[in-house]
Amino acid sequence: MADPRPKKAKICLCMFLCLLAAGVIAVVVGIRMRRHSSQLMKWNGTGSTAHFQEIVLERCYNYTQLVQPALRDRDCQKIREAFRNAFISKDPCSATEEDYHPLMKLVNQTVPCDKTVFWSKTKKLAHQYTKVQREMFTLEDTLLGYIADDLSWCGDAGSHEMNYQSCPHWKKDCSNNFVSVFWGLLSKRFAANACGVVQVVLNGSISNAFDGKSTFGRVEVHNLNPMKVHTLQAWVIHDLGKFPSDSCSGSSINDLSWIMKQRNIKFTCQDNYSSVKFLQCVKKPEDSSCR
Ligand SMILES: *[C@@H]1O[C@H](CO)[C@@H](O)[C@H](O)[C@H]1NC(C)=O
Ligand SMILES: *[C@@H]1O[C@H](CO)[C@@H](O)[C@H](O)[C@H]1NC(C)=O
Ligand SMILES: *[C@@H]1O[C@H](CO)[C@@H](O)[C@H](O)[C@H]1NC(C)=O
Ligand SMILES: *[C@@H]1O[C@H](CO)[C@@H](O)[C@H](O)[C@H]1NC(C)=O
Ligand SMILES: CC(=O)N[C@H]1CO[C@H](CO)[C@@H](O)[C@@H]1O
């Protein structure tokens, strides 16, 4: 008969190893959980928009069902997922355009020729304009621009969660954050796909109606394709009741005109474009220039 003691020792050793393993797992899980809630990186920009996922989904449904039913067949659940996968569990300061390629491929929207409207420092007015001129598109009238307008988002390399406390500020933290890279890529594609006559609504109540450092001046102007874009039409809009600071004959528009000449794209400019002026006057009919 064998001595039962070695068997007991084996059981003891086994239990010890099990406890040890359980302990290690507990510690690892504990560290990960802590990292989930409070150990996210702290940045200087505003955190992700509350209910980001729900907003993305809701806006996507709204757009594909109501705003542009031509995109009815786009899968909003997949779009939401691709959007999230672009940045989740990644260092929020090392975004690349490639991160967004699956999302861009999924949406694949084209704007008809002659319907593209750029804006710079005139966002609200440009959007009122395309809302009335229903078939015209600013970037925010395309599906991805519509979904992401005014939202903020970022993740964290050590977590599967979004960071709702803070996100990188483009100037104070890093320029290659996920929001900036997203808008840079979207603007680039929007401009590169434009064709025919394209328009830009500029602000004549600031000193530089055309600003080479704006998204329009830095990205969009240089991505227009001269093989496809026939003319760039600029509207310089002056705020009612304010003294005009810049106009089509000013030096900033002259710079824009020169760039277009270099790029072989015809350029025209008009102050106080009547269709846009009409929108201003609807809001402020008492202004002397509205009579
Ligand atoms: C949905 O789209 C309509 C039509 O453009 C708009 O008026 C409405 O505010 C949108 N709703 C949401 C929740 O975005
Ligand atoms: C994108 O859309 C265009 C036409 O709208 C179509 O010809 C093309 O195949 C689409 N590309 C992808 C990758 O779905
Ligand atoms: C032009 O810029 C000024 C100053 O930023 C702003 O108050 C105004 O609303 C802008 N005008 C338009 C038409 O957007
Ligand atoms: C545009 O309209 C404003 C008033 O709304 C006026 O003060 C300004 O002189 C006009 N500019 C041009 C170039 O017509
Ligand atoms: C440029 C700037 O404001 N940087 C600040 C970002 O936030 C950290 C703290 O989270 C500050 O220490 C930096 O000065």
mmCIF file of all heavy atoms in Angstrom, residues 129-165:
data_model
loop_
_atom_site.group_PDB
_atom_site.id
_atom_site.type_symbol
_atom_site.label_atom_id
_atom_site.label_comp_id
_atom_site.label_asym_id
_atom_site.label_seq_id
_atom_site.Cartn_x
_atom_site.Cartn_y
_atom_site.Cartn_z
ATOM 1 N N TYR A 129 -27.431 79.302 -45.815
ATOM 2 C CA TYR A 129 -27.470 79.374 -47.276
ATOM 3 C C TYR A 129 -27.763 78.000 -47.883
ATOM 4 O O TYR A 129 -28.655 77.859 -48.723
ATOM 5 C CB TYR A 129 -26.138 79.930 -47.774
ATOM 6 C CG TYR A 129 -25.965 79.972 -49.271
ATOM 7 C CD1 TYR A 129 -26.850 80.662 -50.086
ATOM 8 C CD2 TYR A 129 -24.873 79.344 -49.864
ATOM 9 C CE1 TYR A 129 -26.667 80.711 -51.457
ATOM 10 C CE2 TYR A 129 -24.682 79.394 -51.232
ATOM 11 C CZ TYR A 129 -25.574 80.068 -52.034
ATOM 12 O OH TYR A 129 -25.390 80.116 -53.386
ATOM 13 N N THR A 130 -27.040 76.963 -47.443
ATOM 14 C CA THR A 130 -27.281 75.630 -48.022
ATOM 15 C C THR A 130 -28.590 75.031 -47.534
ATOM 16 O O THR A 130 -29.123 74.125 -48.158
ATOM 17 C CB THR A 130 -26.122 74.641 -47.728
ATOM 18 O OG1 THR A 130 -25.914 74.574 -46.317
ATOM 19 C CG2 THR A 130 -24.852 75.068 -48.423
ATOM 20 N N LYS A 131 -29.111 75.535 -46.429
ATOM 21 C CA LYS A 131 -30.398 75.038 -45.953
ATOM 22 C C LYS A 131 -31.520 75.544 -46.877
ATOM 23 O O LYS A 131 -32.491 74.826 -47.134
ATOM 24 C CB LYS A 131 -30.636 75.504 -44.513
ATOM 25 C CG LYS A 131 -31.591 74.609 -43.763
ATOM 26 C CD LYS A 131 -31.453 74.761 -42.254
ATOM 27 C CE LYS A 131 -32.282 73.699 -41.558
ATOM 28 N NZ LYS A 131 -32.106 73.735 -40.097
ATOM 29 N N VAL A 132 -31.344 76.773 -47.375
ATOM 30 C CA VAL A 132 -32.333 77.332 -48.296
ATOM 31 C C VAL A 132 -32.111 76.764 -49.696
ATOM 32 O O VAL A 132 -33.031 76.310 -50.363
ATOM 33 C CB VAL A 132 -32.235 78.873 -48.324
ATOM 34 C CG1 VAL A 132 -33.183 79.452 -49.353
ATOM 35 C CG2 VAL A 132 -32.548 79.439 -46.947
ATOM 36 N N GLN A 133 -30.835 76.796 -50.133
ATOM 37 C CA GLN A 133 -30.467 76.230 -51.439
ATOM 38 C C GLN A 133 -30.298 74.729 -51.222
ATOM 39 O O GLN A 133 -29.177 74.235 -51.132
ATOM 40 C CB GLN A 133 -29.143 76.815 -51.924
ATOM 41 C CG GLN A 133 -29.092 78.319 -51.919
ATOM 42 C CD GLN A 133 -29.749 78.896 -53.154
ATOM 43 O OE1 GLN A 133 -29.624 78.344 -54.233
ATOM 44 N NE2 GLN A 133 -30.441 80.000 -52.997
ATOM 45 N N ARG A 134 -31.357 74.004 -51.136
ATOM 46 C CA ARG A 134 -31.343 72.649 -50.595
ATOM 47 C C ARG A 134 -30.345 71.714 -51.266
ATOM 48 O O ARG A 134 -29.832 70.788 -50.639
ATOM 49 C CB ARG A 134 -32.735 72.052 -50.626
ATOM 50 C CG ARG A 134 -33.510 72.442 -49.390
ATOM 51 C CD ARG A 134 -34.362 71.302 -48.873
ATOM 52 N NE ARG A 134 -34.544 71.402 -47.437
ATOM 53 C CZ ARG A 134 -33.969 70.599 -46.576
ATOM 54 N NH1 ARG A 134 -33.176 69.633 -46.976
ATOM 55 N NH2 ARG A 134 -34.170 70.736 -45.283
ATOM 56 N N GLU A 135 -30.087 71.926 -52.528
ATOM 57 C CA GLU A 135 -29.229 70.945 -53.204
ATOM 58 C C GLU A 135 -27.736 71.267 -53.076
ATOM 59 O O GLU A 135 -26.907 70.547 -53.608
ATOM 60 C CB GLU A 135 -29.642 70.794 -54.675
ATOM 61 C CG GLU A 135 -29.281 71.941 -55.582
ATOM 62 C CD GLU A 135 -30.173 73.171 -55.418
ATOM 63 O OE1 GLU A 135 -30.917 73.285 -54.428
ATOM 64 O OE2 GLU A 135 -30.113 74.038 -56.296
ATOM 65 N N MET A 136 -27.379 72.339 -52.330
ATOM 66 C CA MET A 136 -25.985 72.701 -52.156
ATOM 67 C C MET A 136 -25.399 72.035 -50.895
ATOM 68 O O MET A 136 -26.128 71.738 -49.954
ATOM 69 C CB MET A 136 -25.824 74.220 -52.016
ATOM 70 C CG MET A 136 -26.482 75.035 -53.126
ATOM 71 S SD MET A 136 -25.636 74.901 -54.689
ATOM 72 C CE MET A 136 -24.182 75.838 -54.355
ATOM 73 N N PHE A 137 -24.086 71.829 -50.913
ATOM 74 C CA PHE A 137 -23.429 71.111 -49.817
ATOM 75 C C PHE A 137 -22.245 71.874 -49.232
ATOM 76 O O PHE A 137 -21.287 72.151 -49.945
ATOM 77 C CB PHE A 137 -22.862 69.781 -50.314
ATOM 78 C CG PHE A 137 -23.890 68.746 -50.666
ATOM 79 C CD1 PHE A 137 -24.566 68.792 -51.875
ATOM 80 C CD2 PHE A 137 -24.167 67.707 -49.793
ATOM 81 C CE1 PHE A 137 -25.503 67.824 -52.210
ATOM 82 C CE2 PHE A 137 -25.101 66.734 -50.111
ATOM 83 C CZ PHE A 137 -25.778 66.799 -51.323
ATOM 84 N N THR A 138 -22.291 72.177 -47.935
ATOM 85 C CA THR A 138 -21.051 72.500 -47.224
ATOM 86 C C THR A 138 -20.530 71.156 -46.716
ATOM 87 O O THR A 138 -21.228 70.130 -46.828
ATOM 88 C CB THR A 138 -21.287 73.418 -46.010
ATOM 89 O OG1 THR A 138 -22.135 72.724 -45.086
ATOM 90 C CG2 THR A 138 -21.925 74.731 -46.409
ATOM 91 N N LEU A 139 -19.348 71.156 -46.128
ATOM 92 C CA LEU A 139 -18.797 69.912 -45.583
ATOM 93 C C LEU A 139 -19.753 69.306 -44.555
ATOM 94 O O LEU A 139 -19.918 68.086 -44.485
ATOM 95 C CB LEU A 139 -17.438 70.204 -44.935
ATOM 96 C CG LEU A 139 -16.666 69.005 -44.392
ATOM 97 C CD1 LEU A 139 -16.460 67.954 -45.458
ATOM 98 C CD2 LEU A 139 -15.330 69.451 -43.827
ATOM 99 N N GLU A 140 -20.428 70.156 -43.779
ATOM 100 C CA GLU A 140 -21.333 69.673 -42.737
ATOM 101 C C GLU A 140 -22.675 69.226 -43.299
ATOM 102 O O GLU A 140 -23.537 68.759 -42.545
ATOM 103 C CB GLU A 140 -21.537 70.748 -41.658
ATOM 104 C CG GLU A 140 -20.278 71.100 -40.876
ATOM 105 C CD GLU A 140 -19.290 71.952 -41.678
ATOM 106 O OE1 GLU A 140 -19.727 72.602 -42.658
ATOM 107 O OE2 GLU A 140 -18.102 71.957 -41.351
ATOM 108 N N ASP A 141 -22.854 69.363 -44.608
ATOM 109 C CA ASP A 141 -24.043 68.822 -45.256
ATOM 110 C C ASP A 141 -23.755 67.456 -45.881
ATOM 111 O O ASP A 141 -24.629 66.874 -46.526
ATOM 112 C CB ASP A 141 -24.559 69.784 -46.345
ATOM 113 C CG ASP A 141 -25.033 71.094 -45.757
ATOM 114 O OD1 ASP A 141 -25.893 71.062 -44.856
ATOM 115 O OD2 ASP A 141 -24.534 72.155 -46.172
ATOM 116 N N THR A 142 -22.522 66.960 -45.710
ATOM 117 C CA THR A 142 -22.226 65.586 -46.120
ATOM 118 C C THR A 142 -22.408 64.699 -44.888
ATOM 119 O O THR A 142 -22.380 65.197 -43.755
ATOM 120 C CB THR A 142 -20.781 65.427 -46.646
ATOM 121 O OG1 THR A 142 -19.862 65.672 -45.575
ATOM 122 C CG2 THR A 142 -20.502 66.396 -47.795
ATOM 123 N N LEU A 143 -22.585 63.412 -45.096
ATOM 124 C CA LEU A 143 -22.917 62.525 -43.974
ATOM 125 C C LEU A 143 -21.907 62.608 -42.823
ATOM 126 O O LEU A 143 -22.293 62.816 -41.675
ATOM 127 C CB LEU A 143 -23.055 61.078 -44.469
ATOM 128 C CG LEU A 143 -23.311 60.019 -43.395
ATOM 129 C CD1 LEU A 143 -24.509 60.369 -42.535
ATOM 130 C CD2 LEU A 143 -23.494 58.645 -44.024
ATOM 131 N N LEU A 144 -20.618 62.464 -43.129
ATOM 132 C CA LEU A 144 -19.641 62.452 -42.033
ATOM 133 C C LEU A 144 -19.487 63.816 -41.374
ATOM 134 O O LEU A 144 -19.302 63.908 -40.167
ATOM 135 C CB LEU A 144 -18.281 61.927 -42.520
ATOM 136 C CG LEU A 144 -18.235 60.412 -42.695
ATOM 137 C CD1 LEU A 144 -16.897 59.972 -43.276
ATOM 138 C CD2 LEU A 144 -18.483 59.697 -41.369
ATOM 139 N N GLY A 145 -19.585 64.879 -42.173
ATOM 140 C CA GLY A 145 -19.522 66.219 -41.596
ATOM 141 C C GLY A 145 -20.726 66.490 -40.707
ATOM 142 O O GLY A 145 -20.606 67.079 -39.630
ATOM 143 N N TYR A 146 -21.893 66.018 -41.146
ATOM 144 C CA TYR A 146 -23.139 66.171 -40.398
ATOM 145 C C TYR A 146 -23.057 65.404 -39.069
ATOM 146 O O TYR A 146 -23.435 65.911 -38.020
ATOM 147 C CB TYR A 146 -24.277 65.631 -41.258
ATOM 148 C CG TYR A 146 -25.668 65.733 -40.684
ATOM 149 C CD1 TYR A 146 -26.462 66.847 -40.932
ATOM 150 C CD2 TYR A 146 -26.223 64.694 -39.929
ATOM 151 C CE1 TYR A 146 -27.759 66.942 -40.439
ATOM 152 C CE2 TYR A 146 -27.520 64.771 -39.429
ATOM 153 C CZ TYR A 146 -28.276 65.899 -39.689
ATOM 154 O OH TYR A 146 -29.557 65.984 -39.199
ATOM 155 N N ILE A 147 -22.518 64.196 -39.128
ATOM 156 C CA ILE A 147 -22.419 63.358 -37.927
ATOM 157 C C ILE A 147 -21.480 63.986 -36.900
ATOM 158 O O ILE A 147 -21.773 64.019 -35.715
ATOM 159 C CB ILE A 147 -21.901 61.943 -38.298
ATOM 160 C CG1 ILE A 147 -23.001 61.135 -38.992
ATOM 161 C CG2 ILE A 147 -21.403 61.196 -37.070
ATOM 162 C CD1 ILE A 147 -22.552 59.759 -39.457
ATOM 163 N N ALA A 148 -20.341 64.510 -37.359
ATOM 164 C CA ALA A 148 -19.279 64.908 -36.425
ATOM 165 C C ALA A 148 -19.310 66.388 -36.040
ATOM 166 O O ALA A 148 -18.568 66.804 -35.150
ATOM 167 C CB ALA A 148 -17.915 64.578 -37.039
ATOM 168 N N ASP A 149 -20.190 67.165 -36.687
ATOM 169 C CA ASP A 149 -20.206 68.612 -36.457
ATOM 170 C C ASP A 149 -20.292 68.953 -34.966
ATOM 171 O O ASP A 149 -21.218 68.496 -34.283
ATOM 172 C CB ASP A 149 -21.396 69.210 -37.214
ATOM 173 C CG ASP A 149 -21.309 70.732 -37.313
ATOM 174 O OD1 ASP A 149 -20.213 71.280 -37.105
ATOM 175 O OD2 ASP A 149 -22.351 71.362 -37.597
ATOM 176 N N ASP A 150 -19.344 69.747 -34.484
ATOM 177 C CA ASP A 150 -19.318 70.228 -33.097
ATOM 178 C C ASP A 150 -19.151 69.128 -32.043
ATOM 179 O O ASP A 150 -19.371 69.377 -30.864
ATOM 180 C CB ASP A 150 -20.586 71.033 -32.767
ATOM 181 C CG ASP A 150 -20.597 72.376 -33.478
ATOM 182 O OD1 ASP A 150 -19.497 72.909 -33.728
ATOM 183 O OD2 ASP A 150 -21.696 72.882 -33.786
ATOM 184 N N LEU A 151 -18.782 67.924 -32.442
ATOM 185 C CA LEU A 151 -18.543 66.872 -31.453
ATOM 186 C C LEU A 151 -17.053 66.802 -31.128
ATOM 187 O O LEU A 151 -16.213 67.286 -31.875
ATOM 188 C CB LEU A 151 -19.001 65.502 -31.978
ATOM 189 C CG LEU A 151 -20.482 65.323 -32.295
ATOM 190 C CD1 LEU A 151 -20.761 63.876 -32.687
ATOM 191 C CD2 LEU A 151 -21.359 65.731 -31.108
ATOM 192 N N SER A 152 -16.753 66.194 -29.991
ATOM 193 C CA SER A 152 -15.374 65.978 -29.566
ATOM 194 C C SER A 152 -15.245 64.504 -29.191
ATOM 195 O O SER A 152 -16.184 63.919 -28.659
ATOM 196 C CB SER A 152 -15.092 66.880 -28.364
ATOM 197 O OG SER A 152 -13.832 66.587 -27.826
ATOM 198 N N TRP A 153 -14.088 63.897 -29.509
ATOM 199 C CA TRP A 153 -13.928 62.477 -29.186
ATOM 200 C C TRP A 153 -12.460 62.117 -29.050
ATOM 201 O O TRP A 153 -11.611 62.673 -29.751
ATOM 202 C CB TRP A 153 -14.596 61.602 -30.252
ATOM 203 C CG TRP A 153 -14.003 61.741 -31.630
ATOM 204 C CD1 TRP A 153 -12.983 61.012 -32.171
ATOM 205 C CD2 TRP A 153 -14.400 62.690 -32.658
ATOM 206 N NE1 TRP A 153 -12.716 61.436 -33.451
ATOM 207 C CE2 TRP A 153 -13.567 62.457 -33.774
ATOM 208 C CE3 TRP A 153 -15.360 63.696 -32.731
ATOM 209 C CZ2 TRP A 153 -13.669 63.206 -34.949
ATOM 210 C CZ3 TRP A 153 -15.462 64.450 -33.897
ATOM 211 C CH2 TRP A 153 -14.631 64.187 -34.987
ATOM 212 N N CYS A 154 -12.176 61.200 -28.113
ATOM 213 C CA CYS A 154 -10.848 60.597 -28.020
ATOM 214 C C CYS A 154 -10.928 59.376 -27.124
ATOM 215 O O CYS A 154 -11.856 59.237 -26.332
ATOM 216 C CB CYS A 154 -9.808 61.584 -27.508
ATOM 217 S SG CYS A 154 -9.991 62.049 -25.777
ATOM 218 N N GLY A 155 -9.958 58.479 -27.279
ATOM 219 C CA GLY A 155 -9.859 57.297 -26.434
ATOM 220 C C GLY A 155 -8.597 57.395 -25.594
ATOM 221 O O GLY A 155 -8.115 58.497 -25.320
ATOM 222 N N ASP A 156 -8.075 56.238 -25.216
ATOM 223 C CA ASP A 156 -6.865 56.193 -24.395
ATOM 224 C C ASP A 156 -6.155 54.878 -24.698
ATOM 225 O O ASP A 156 -6.810 53.841 -24.833
ATOM 226 C CB ASP A 156 -7.258 56.271 -22.917
ATOM 227 C CG ASP A 156 -6.053 56.461 -22.013
ATOM 228 O OD1 ASP A 156 -5.305 55.482 -21.794
ATOM 229 O OD2 ASP A 156 -5.858 57.588 -21.542
ATOM 230 N N ALA A 157 -4.840 54.946 -24.816
ATOM 231 C CA ALA A 157 -4.076 53.755 -25.206
ATOM 232 C C ALA A 157 -4.279 52.601 -24.228
ATOM 233 O O ALA A 157 -4.197 51.441 -24.601
ATOM 234 C CB ALA A 157 -2.599 54.101 -25.324
ATOM 235 N N GLY A 158 -4.589 52.909 -22.961
ATOM 236 C CA GLY A 158 -4.687 51.847 -21.962
ATOM 237 C C GLY A 158 -6.103 51.470 -21.582
ATOM 238 O O GLY A 158 -6.313 50.861 -20.541
ATOM 239 N N SER A 159 -7.086 51.820 -22.414
ATOM 240 C CA SER A 159 -8.471 51.571 -22.031
ATOM 241 C C SER A 159 -9.343 51.353 -23.257
ATOM 242 O O SER A 159 -9.031 51.837 -24.345
ATOM 243 C CB SER A 159 -8.986 52.777 -21.232
ATOM 244 O OG SER A 159 -10.380 52.791 -21.197
ATOM 245 N N HIS A 160 -10.443 50.614 -23.074
ATOM 246 C CA HIS A 160 -11.383 50.441 -24.179
ATOM 247 C C HIS A 160 -12.447 51.531 -24.162
ATOM 248 O O HIS A 160 -13.361 51.524 -24.984
ATOM 249 C CB HIS A 160 -12.085 49.085 -24.076
ATOM 250 C CG HIS A 160 -11.150 47.941 -23.990
ATOM 251 N ND1 HIS A 160 -10.183 47.695 -24.941
ATOM 252 C CD2 HIS A 160 -10.998 46.968 -23.067
ATOM 253 C CE1 HIS A 160 -9.490 46.629 -24.601
ATOM 254 N NE2 HIS A 160 -9.955 46.173 -23.463
ATOM 255 N N GLU A 161 -12.348 52.424 -23.189
ATOM 256 C CA GLU A 161 -13.379 53.455 -23.020
ATOM 257 C C GLU A 161 -13.004 54.720 -23.775
ATOM 258 O O GLU A 161 -11.855 54.944 -24.134
ATOM 259 C CB GLU A 161 -13.511 53.824 -21.537
ATOM 260 C CG GLU A 161 -13.751 52.649 -20.617
ATOM 261 C CD GLU A 161 -15.099 52.007 -20.873
ATOM 262 O OE1 GLU A 161 -16.084 52.755 -20.942
ATOM 263 O OE2 GLU A 161 -15.150 50.770 -21.038
ATOM 264 N N MET A 162 -14.003 55.602 -23.966
ATOM 265 C CA MET A 162 -13.716 56.940 -24.458
ATOM 266 C C MET A 162 -13.307 57.786 -23.266
ATOM 267 O O MET A 162 -13.674 57.480 -22.131
ATOM 268 C CB MET A 162 -14.966 57.549 -25.110
ATOM 269 C CG MET A 162 -15.352 56.857 -26.398
ATOM 270 S SD MET A 162 -16.743 57.640 -27.220
ATOM 271 C CE MET A 162 -16.053 59.211 -27.712
ATOM 272 N N ASN A 163 -12.552 58.835 -23.502
ATOM 273 C CA ASN A 163 -12.163 59.736 -22.413
ATOM 274 C C ASN A 163 -13.120 60.932 -22.414
ATOM 275 O O ASN A 163 -13.048 61.782 -23.286
ATOM 276 C CB ASN A 163 -10.719 60.202 -22.602
ATOM 277 C CG ASN A 163 -10.199 60.974 -21.412
ATOM 278 O OD1 ASN A 163 -10.979 61.440 -20.577
ATOM 279 N ND2 ASN A 163 -8.890 61.105 -21.322
ATOM 280 N N TYR A 164 -14.024 60.933 -21.418
ATOM 281 C CA TYR A 164 -15.022 62.013 -21.344
ATOM 282 C C TYR A 164 -14.520 63.185 -20.507
ATOM 283 O O TYR A 164 -15.160 64.217 -20.442
ATOM 284 C CB TYR A 164 -16.332 61.488 -20.758
ATOM 285 C CG TYR A 164 -17.037 60.507 -21.663
ATOM 286 C CD1 TYR A 164 -16.990 59.139 -21.410
ATOM 287 C CD2 TYR A 164 -17.720 60.946 -22.795
ATOM 288 C CE1 TYR A 164 -17.620 58.229 -22.258
ATOM 289 C CE2 TYR A 164 -18.352 60.050 -23.649
ATOM 290 C CZ TYR A 164 -18.293 58.701 -23.375
ATOM 291 O OH TYR A 164 -18.901 57.811 -24.220
ATOM 292 N N GLN A 165 -13.354 62.983 -19.849
ATOM 293 C CA GLN A 165 -12.825 64.052 -18.990
ATOM 294 C C GLN A 165 -12.051 65.092 -19.802
ATOM 295 O O GLN A 165 -12.240 66.283 -19.637
ATOM 296 C CB GLN A 165 -11.901 63.456 -17.911
ATOM 297 C CG GLN A 165 -12.579 63.225 -16.579
ATOM 298 C CD GLN A 165 -13.631 62.136 -16.666
ATOM 299 O OE1 GLN A 165 -13.329 61.028 -17.096
ATOM 300 N NE2 GLN A 165 -14.857 62.444 -16.288
#
